[in-house]
Amino acid sequence: MATEAPMPVPEQLQAYVDTNVRSSTIPLALRAPPKIPDVVTTIYSFPTMEPLRFAHYPANHLHLPLRRDILHRAVIFEGDATRQGTASTKWRKDVHGSGAKIRPQKGTGRARLGDKKSPMLRGGGVAFGPHPRDFSTKLPKKMYDLAWRTALSYRYRRGELILVEDGVEIEMNEPRWIKQIMERNHWGNADGRSLIVTKGVRENLFQAIAGAGEDGRVKTEDDIDVKDLLELGRIIIERSALDGILKDHSSDLNRTVPTALYS
């Protein structure tokens, strides 16, 4: 005797529709992007380095695979942009002087010469010398933004990205204060030096590190580049500075930049 299968409950029916019907009928271009997993980092207070809370960032911000080729292209791009290209020499037409021939072409037994501005003579023009030029190269913005997040991801996976609360500052602008902080937290010269990144200028901190350059450097968010993120032993960065960097360098994601979730 034939028996009828039991009707599925509403929960089972909805799950079947979601997995088999909707996914096959909705065009791929219109489907919602898959959820990006998060990575967790700890926010500390400066300079005591007491843990305050956790922050969650998307994995495509702080957990990208290492791409040495992209990092290399970004560093070269930044280095080319900093070259002045102001070296300049004078060719024979630019040297002040007469254009008359120095001596006859024949009959003297000596070498042939033109005017006194010849490159073969002292005080003459320079043959094939440098002239002002632009050394800057081009790099796609999406590739450059990917290099920023790749550098931050590399630091994060190695435990060298230290996130601190906003308002990083010390009581006095004397170098001995920052030296003590660096030594206590193993951030100084003996441990590879450190880069401190702030959202804005902190008077005491900047003046103190100016006298303790052997232990590290301090820069604002607007003054750093990819090379700075890779150069020293670790990065101590303010929360708002990291959020600003990720917001400014996310053009390759083609979506609204998610903000960090704090817990």
Side-chain angles (χ1 to χ4, degrees):
M1 180 177 179
T3 58
E4 295 182 358
M7 292 293 292
V9 297
E11 293 80 3
Q12 296 175 342
L13 184 60
Q14 184 64 34
Y16 176 81
V17 171
D18 293 339
T19 56
N20 296 277
V21 178
R22 291 185 178 180
S23 61
S24 59
T25 58
I26 299 177
L28 183 62
L30 300 179
R31 295 180 189 175
K35 180 176 174 53
I36 301 175
D38 294 339
V39 295
V40 182
T41 182
T42 306
I43 300 180
Y44 299 91
S45 63
F46 185 91
T48 61
M49 298 309 296
E50 177 183 356
L52 299 178
R53 60 186 183 278
F54 295 108
H56 301 262
Y57 287 91
N60 59 0
H61 281 182
L62 291 182
H63 208 270
L64 293 174
L66 178 61
R67 290 288 304 274
R68 296 179 184 271
D69 56 332
I70 293 180
L71 293 178
H72 177 265
R73 292 190 62 176
V75 172
I76 296 299
F77 167 73
E78 294 170 348
D80 290 342
T82 60
R83 298 186 65 177
Q84 292 182 344
T86 56
S88 179
T89 55
K90 292 183 178 181
W91 177 231
R92 63 190 307 167
K93 68 181 180 62
D94 302 319
V95 177
H96 178 73
S98 173
K101 190 172 177 65
I102 291 180
R103 54 175 175 261
Q105 180 80 356
K106 296 179 178 296
T108 63
R110 303 179 65 183
R112 296 169 291 184
L113 276 179
D115 55 33
K116 65 179 182 180
K117 298 182 290 185
S118 171
M120 295 184 294
L121 300 178
R122 182 178 179 181
V126 178
F128 309 110
H131 296 282
R133 55 171 294 190
D134 183 12
F135 284 97
S136 62
T137 54
K138 294 183 179 180
L139 186 68
K141 178 175 175 54
K142 292 185 177 182
M143 183 178 296
Y144 187 54
D145 290 348
L146 179 59
W148 274 85
R149 302 199 318 278
T150 300
L152 291 172
S153 300
Y154 171 74
R155 290 299 197 179
Y156 173 81
R157 287 198 307 272
R158 292 172 59 93
E160 297 170 350
L161 182 66
I162 303 172
L163 192 60
V164 296
E165 190 55 273
D166 293 345
V168 172
E169 183 61 299
I170 56 178
E171 297 179 1
M172 302 179 66
N173 58 1
E174 297 182 4
R176 63 185 179 90
W177 284 87
I178 195 64
K179 282 180 173 291
Q180 292 176 1
I181 295 173
M182 293 287 194
E183 183 178 356
R184 184 176 69 245
N185 294 311
H186 302 285
W187 294 345
N189 189 21
D191 300 285
R193 305 173 71 205
S194 301
L195 172 66
I196 302 177
V197 183
T198 61
K199 186 68 174 180
V201 177
R202 310 285 188 258
E203 295 294 339
N204 291 343
L205 179 65
F206 276 60
Q207 293 179 14
I209 292 190
E214 67 276 7
D215 291 318
R217 296 199 300 261
V218 59
K219 291 188 175 183
T220 61
E221 170 196 349
D222 299 330
D223 293 336
I224 63 172
D225 51 25
V226 175
K227 183 180 179 181
D228 293 326
L229 299 178
L230 301 171
E231 197 168 13
L232 300 185
R234 68 198 51 80
I235 303 171
I236 301 99
I237 185 170
E238 288 184 353
R239 174 184 56 83
S240 59
L242 178 60
D243 293 344
I245 291 174
L246 295 176
K247 181 179 180 180
D248 294 339
H249 298 284
S250 300
S251 64
D252 58 309
L253 299 180
N254 293 326
R255 67 183 69 207
T256 302
V257 179
T259 56
L261 301 177
Y262 304 101
S263 59

